[in-house]
Amino acid sequence: MAREYVLQPYRDSVKLQIDYEAELNEAQLTAVTALPGPALVLAGAGSGKTRTLTYRVAYLLEQGVPADRILLLTFTNKAAKEMMGRVTDLIGHDMSDLWGGTFHSIGHRVLRRHAEELGFDRSFTIQDREDTKGLVNACIAEAEIDVKATRFPKPEVVADMGSLALNKQMTLREVIEERFPWFEHLSSQIENVVQRYAERKRLQGLMDFDDLLVLWLKLLKEHESVRELYQKRFQFVLVDEYQDTNQLQAELIDLLGERYKNVMVVGDDSQSIYSWRGANYENIIEFPERYPGAEVYKIETNYRSTPEILNLANAAIAANTRQFAKELSASRGPGEKPVLAVCSAANEQAAFVAQRALELREEGVELNDMAVLYRSHFHALELQLEFTRRNIPFSITSGIRFFEQAHIKDVTSYLKWIANPLDEQAFKRLVLMLPGVGGKTAFKLWSQFFGAHKDGTPLAETLQQCAAVPKKAKVPWAQFSATVSQLEAEPVAGDAGQMIELIVEAGYSDYVEANYDKAPQRLDDIEQLGVFARQYETLETFLAELALLTNVEAEQDRGEDDDEKMRLSTIHQAKGLEFKVVFVVMLCDGMFPSNRSLDSTEGEEEERRLFYVAITRAKDELYISYPMIRTVAGRGSDDMIQQPSRFLSELPDELIDEWKLSSFDPYRQDPF
């Protein structure tokens, strides 16, 4: 039997250009200079994850590994460019041979080379989201589905279903059951449309964003020669933000690293917060089992936050049972204890944040260095109003302020039109939601309504005189008229909170589920809008407040981009960012953690990780707060006492400075 004799490449002794010991801490150095083999690098918040990964690439290059034998996978183009640029600066030569980029960009690169193996021409076109929407819509029409009669989901919602199924490696029916249960009765029709969509793409030589990964994986699985080519090419596979990978991405990594097993993944299991978009927590937790013999490196020195903030973060995540044991330690000196502010209600919480932000501004902290973080978008409702009143400029990370969201504008259009029947724009927005009503028909209906309207005549009665209602809209028009009749009648009329509740009950919830993504979150927004509206005695007062708010928002949005603004953001959208001062609000059970998350241990633990992410965004000062009283939705309901978040009860008292708020009393004797 022939003996295998391995020829080792000859090279001179390695002369390192970089003084790794001087530029890295001990834990970073250990990971950067690790021997070949599978490795999991657990890099805690603010510990220099990017620095570690960058120096690892540089180290491999200095060890003689050719650049084209290294694959660096990231989640954003920005991260890829940043790392490649840093490596270039460290090494001092061009890095164009190194395969670095997002999963999708690398998938695109591979598919351009091997499209023929999958039956595609190399000149295939990549569809954007708008193109996808149009093609899915064509497939719905081809399947002869009466979208209005069946309340069939909008094309973009169908596309999201298909995308989630692909990325989670689940069946479409499983995704519908798990995420879109209100469409379960339409599962067969949705499957039909998604199948037609896939066939049309193939026939037209099209790929969408998901195909760049799905077809890349298919190529590797079904074509041995291609698989071996890339397994041999990529001697080292490096992955950033591994805790955010989905099932499909994990399979790609496993296949590409199968030959050499030199797979180094970098991430933080404590910052895994994206299960709702397909990320699989099991990927990082089970990495040592999937790669037997894998080394686990922990980088726990934090360069961002004070010891006091990190002590709180460590305590916050300690209750999670499924995690890698680690503890962040600070490189910085001591600072202020995190503050817990107990507020009477949401408006007092908003007043506290606004006042404290202005005080800090006077102390020299710029608004750009401050952020308010929250679990859900509606948690910032009172904050946006309070900041507007006090003329505190702010920006919303999502880019859309609460009252400018489509579903909020839909609902407020009902209120605006009931309050002012001559509001043409509000009327048209309402009728355009009906089947068979387009721009021209909406104008005809408005003309007929305007001509027939008389002061004092019930609006529902006037609606019945409109003759331009299309056949498809006859039944929905009758339902619309009935809803308007209820909104005009006592005791609902003039009570904005009750009106909003009735609008949802009368069928708008069905409209949201059929027409918008993230339907449950949007319905939560509307419920909280109703709660917010209950504090106003009249409909007119509520609408006036909204008008003031949206007008100021529009003025602010016309300002210069470099204007100083305070950041308002969901915690999900703030991941990866840092601020000198952070406020975390609405820490009430049922709000943070959210009610929906409490159905499972996994859901609660992800919410706790979300809390951990929020805390670790703060560099110098951290303020957490909750309102004790919450106005609840429902006719005749009273305010309810809220329980503080269970996450707060898990924190040792000695780690927090509790502030009890009180209103200013000019007649109170000064105790000093």
Side-chain angles (χ1 to χ4, degrees):
M1 185 175 178
R3 175 185 172 186
E4 184 177 353
Y5 182 77
V6 180
L7 293 174
Q8 302 291 337
Y10 171 80
R11 63 172 186 263
D12 293 328
S13 57
V14 178
K15 297 179 181 178
L16 301 179
Q17 299 179 38
I18 303 168
D19 188 348
Y20 292 92
E21 291 188 11
E23 298 190 27
L24 301 169
N25 66 37
E26 185 177 349
Q28 291 170 338
L29 179 66
T30 303
V32 165
T33 59
L35 293 173
L40 168 61
V41 181
L42 295 168
S47 65
K49 169 181 66 64
T50 301
R51 184 177 186 85
T52 302
L53 203 50
T54 299
Y55 275 77
R56 175 63 174 175
V57 174
Y59 181 79
L60 291 175
L61 293 169
E62 288 206 306
Q63 292 297 314
V65 179
D68 65 353
R69 304 295 301 279
I70 300 173
L71 174 63
L72 174 61
L73 292 166
T74 67
F75 272 84
T76 65
N77 288 313
K78 181 182 177 183
K81 289 178 181 177
E82 181 182 354
M83 283 189 231
M84 300 281 273
R86 288 191 187 183
V87 173
T88 299
D89 292 340
L90 288 170
I91 300 296
H93 59 76
D94 183 52
M95 295 294 301
S96 57
D97 289 342
L98 192 150
W99 284 55
T102 65
F103 282 87
H104 293 90
S105 68
I106 299 297
H108 173 246
R109 187 172 176 179
V110 171
L111 290 170
R112 286 291 181 199
R113 296 184 174 198
H114 306 280
E116 291 92 343
E117 279 92 334
L118 295 170
F120 283 84
D121 190 272
R122 290 193 182 188
S123 61
F124 64 83
T125 301
I126 301 175
Q127 292 192 130
D128 60 22
R129 189 168 177 82
E130 205 55 37
D131 294 332
T132 296
K133 177 182 172 182
L135 192 57
V136 172
N137 198 39
C139 294
I140 293 171
E142 184 183 69
E144 298 181 341
I145 296 171
D146 189 338
V147 295
K148 301 299 182 182
T150 61
R151 294 293 248 185
F152 199 77
K154 288 286 186 180
E156 53 266 42
V157 178
V158 174
D160 286 343
M161 292 175 180
S163 176
L164 200 56
L166 292 170
N167 284 287
K168 294 191 73 170
Q169 296 288 273
M170 297 168 63
T171 68
L172 185 58
R173 199 170 285 261
E174 287 171 339
V175 166
I176 294 171
E177 184 180 348
E178 181 183 295
R179 297 289 186 91
F180 305 87
W182 50 91
F183 288 130
E184 276 192 80
H185 64 293
L186 298 172
S187 292
S188 297
Q189 290 173 290
I190 295 169
E191 287 175 327
N192 180 17
V193 170
V194 171
Q195 181 59 40
R196 289 174 183 271
Y197 172 66
E199 291 170 358
R200 281 207 174 206
K201 283 190 297 179
R202 178 170 290 280
L203 287 171
Q204 298 176 28
L206 304 172
M207 292 187 194
D208 59 23
F209 210 52
D210 292 319
D211 289 326
L212 298 178
L213 301 189
V214 172
L215 295 177
W216 181 16
L217 183 61
K218 180 181 174 69
L219 183 68
L220 296 178
K221 281 185 171 181
E222 298 181 2
H223 297 270
E224 186 179 358
S225 61
V226 178
R227 182 172 66 251
E228 288 186 353
L229 171 67
Y230 289 99
Q231 287 177 343
K232 288 179 180 178
R233 172 183 283 276
F234 299 131
Q235 184 181 348
F236 289 88
V237 178
L238 304 163
V239 186
D240 189 23
E241 303 286 8
Y242 187 68
Q243 78 280 347
D244 294 335
T245 54
N246 58 36
Q247 187 62 35
L248 194 159
Q249 290 162 333
E251 283 192 47
L252 280 166
I253 295 163
D254 292 346
L255 272 175
L256 291 167
E258 193 174 80
R259 181 179 179 89
Y260 298 107
K261 304 295 184 185
N262 294 329
V263 176
M264 176 178 280
V265 300
V266 182
D268 183 5
D269 58 300
S270 296
Q271 297 188 72
S272 179
I273 59 174
Y274 293 117
S275 65
W276 52 275
R277 70 182 188 194
N280 186 359
Y281 184 64
E282 304 302 316
N283 290 345
I284 190 167
I285 286 293
E286 295 180 354
F287 185 87
E289 286 74 42
R290 290 169 59 181
Y291 287 82
E295 295 288 341
V296 179
Y297 303 96
K298 297 179 182 179
I299 304 176
E300 299 170 296
T301 301
N302 176 288
Y303 295 92
R304 176 185 299 156
S305 308
T306 63
E308 291 79 7
I309 292 172
L310 294 182
N311 289 339
L312 197 72
N314 290 328
I317 200 66
N320 274 9
T321 56
R322 295 196 73 219
Q323 62 172 321
F324 292 102
K326 54 187 177 300
E327 188 164 313
L328 293 177
S329 60
S331 67
R332 297 178 55 188
E336 301 292 329
K337 269 189 184 182
V339 170
L340 171 62
V342 182
C343 310
S344 63
N347 57 351
E348 185 175 272
Q349 179 180 243
F352 163 70
V353 173
Q355 179 174 311
R356 187 66 188 130
L358 290 174
E359 290 170 349
L360 290 165
R361 180 68 182 84
E362 288 297 312
E363 293 170 15
V365 183
E366 294 188 358
L367 293 178
N368 290 336
D369 290 325
M370 292 184 256
V372 184
L373 306 182
Y374 35 83
R375 172 64 181 83
S376 299
H377 203 38
F378 68 78
H379 293 176
L381 206 158
E382 287 86 2
L383 276 165
Q384 293 186 38
L385 187 62
E386 188 67 26
F387 277 29
T388 301
R389 286 172 176 159
R390 299 194 186 212
N391 200 29
I392 302 173
F394 64 92
S395 61
I396 306 288
T397 300
S398 66
I400 304 175
R401 303 188 182 212
F402 183 86
F403 296 103
E404 292 301 308
Q405 298 176 105
H407 54 292
I408 299 299
K409 294 185 77 169
D410 288 346
V411 172
T412 55
S413 289
Y414 273 101
L415 308 187
K416 288 178 178 179
W417 184 62
I418 296 292
N420 176 18
L422 302 181
D423 189 331
E424 181 180 353
Q425 296 309 309
F427 177 90
K428 287 181 176 178
R429 187 177 187 101
L430 295 176
V431 300
L432 283 168
M433 287 191 272
L434 303 176
V437 177
K440 290 183 179 179
T441 304
F443 179 76
K444 288 180 182 177
L445 288 168
W446 167 252
S447 300
Q448 291 175 0
F449 172 83
F450 185 79
H453 173 68
K454 295 179 182 176
D455 289 340
T457 304
L459 299 180
E461 186 178 315
T462 309
L463 288 175
Q464 295 170 11
Q465 300 177 42
C466 296
V469 181
K471 187 176 180 180
K472 282 186 177 180
K474 291 291 185 184
V475 173
W477 184 266
Q479 293 170 337
F480 172 57
S481 299
T483 300
V484 171
S485 179
Q486 290 177 284
L487 292 172
E488 292 183 290
E490 297 293 341
V492 177
D495 186 326
Q498 289 195 43
M499 292 174 77
I500 291 168
E501 184 184 354
L502 190 149
I503 291 164
V504 174
E505 291 175 352
Y508 185 71
S509 59
D510 295 334
Y511 182 84
V512 171
E513 290 172 350
N515 290 273
Y516 293 126
D517 63 351
K518 301 177 183 176
Q521 293 90 329
R522 291 177 188 264
L523 290 172
D524 282 347
D525 285 348
I526 296 168
E527 180 184 347
Q528 293 307 310
L529 178 69
V531 168
F532 176 73
R534 290 188 66 199
Q535 66 184 290
Y536 297 94
E537 291 185 2
T538 67
L539 173 61
E540 288 72 20
T541 307
F542 174 64
L543 291 174
E545 193 80 310
L546 292 193
L548 170 67
L549 182 61
T550 51
N551 184 59
V552 173
E553 288 176 353
E555 290 178 0
Q556 287 186 1
D557 289 341
R558 288 194 295 269
E560 297 295 325
D561 291 339
D562 60 352
D563 283 352
E564 190 185 352
K565 293 180 181 179
M566 194 164 173
R567 180 77 65 94
L568 271 60
S569 174
T570 64
I571 302 166
H572 286 103
Q573 291 174 314
K575 186 175 174 291
L577 304 178
E578 59 182 39
F579 305 90
K580 287 183 178 180
V581 180
V582 168
F583 298 86
V584 187
V585 300
M586 285 297 179
L587 276 156
C588 311
D589 247 26
M591 301 190 79
F592 192 5
S594 69
N595 273 325
R596 278 194 296 276
S597 70
L598 300 178
D599 294 338
S600 67
T601 301
E602 293 80 7
E604 182 177 329
E605 293 210 343
E606 179 159 335
E607 291 286 293
R608 192 174 283 107
R609 294 195 295 270
L610 194 61
F611 183 42
Y612 172 86
V613 168
I615 292 171
T616 53
R617 299 310 94 198
K619 297 164 66 176
D620 301 335
E621 296 186 42
L622 173 68
Y623 300 85
I624 53 182
S625 59
Y626 73 93
M628 294 187 293
I629 297 173
R630 180 188 180 194
T631 303
V632 295
R635 295 165 205 164
S637 55
D638 296 320
D639 294 345
M640 64 177 287
I641 301 296
Q642 295 199 125
Q643 293 300 315
S645 171
R646 63 194 64 194
F647 301 154
L648 296 180
S649 66
E650 296 166 356
L651 302 175
D653 292 341
E654 64 270 18
L655 299 183
I656 300 175
D657 188 8
E658 186 172 337
W659 290 9
K660 294 196 181 290
L661 308 186
S662 60
S663 299
F664 174 70
D665 182 358
Y667 297 101
R668 186 177 63 186
Q669 186 176 358
D670 192 332
F672 300 103

